[in-house]
Amino acid sequence: GVISDIDKEKRNVDMLVQKALYDALTGLYNKAAAEELGGKFIEKAMQDSPCAFMVIDLDNFKTVNDTLGHRYGDKVLCSVAECFRQVLRTSDIIGRVGGDEFVAFLSGVTSLDEARECAGRLCQAVSRIPDLDLKGCGLSCSIGGAVCPRDGRDYDSLLIKADIAVYEAKRRGKNQFAFYEPGMKPHSEP
């Protein structure tokens, strides 16, 4: 009857909302949602408390995919997403913005040390995910961070700075983090 039609309609809308906001594989926010929510986050940060923005890149993920296959690669991404959920707070925003690239917004970060400490915990947690048998591929992550409002006052400028920092972390040998500092070179420069 009418009621079941309304229920079905509501379920369809819920599904669309899910699809619109969340990455189907990991259940984290998708790129568009991370960008939009991140933008709101930044506006709030400008008013009351600073926030940290991180770009998180998995190291050696291509090797994992090539060696163990894409299905296992998907399992790894889900385990990584779960790991982020455990380390970060529910008030933080975590999104998957590319194949093996994630972003995180940490609210109410009072100091760079606090942001660094969190980045360190994420690096450790990813390299120690217990239930993965990576056949010696080794999984870790490189994190680049930027702090709002110090490094930028909108999503794009923070993303640029955090991207530069993530390349710095990779250049230093992966499985670590770097926060943006003036003078860091973008990866396109030799």
Side-chain angles (χ1 to χ4, degrees), residues 8 12 31 42 63 69 81 84 95 108 132 136 143 149 157 182:
K8 207 157 93 188
N12 288 346
K31 189 176 182 174
I42 293 163
T63 314
F84 292 162
L132 292 177
I143 298 177
S157 44

Side-chain angles (χ1 to χ4, degrees), residues 11-21:
R11 270 200 307 277
N12 288 346
V13 169
D14 287 347
M15 290 268 304
L16 286 173
V17 169
Q18 282 285 98
K19 268 206 184 100
L21 288 177

Side-chain angles (χ1 to χ4, degrees), residues 41-72:
F41 219 71
I42 293 163
E43 277 167 33
K44 210 171 147 322
M46 300 293 296
Q47 281 149 25
D48 42 58
S49 64
C51 75
F53 174 64
M54 296 186 206
V55 170
I56 308 162
D57 252 0
L58 297 184
D59 303 322
N60 312 329
F61 185 68
K62 191 180 169 340
T63 314
V64 170
N65 252 344
D66 293 349
T67 312
L68 302 167
H70 286 272
R71 286 190 54 163
Y72 202 80

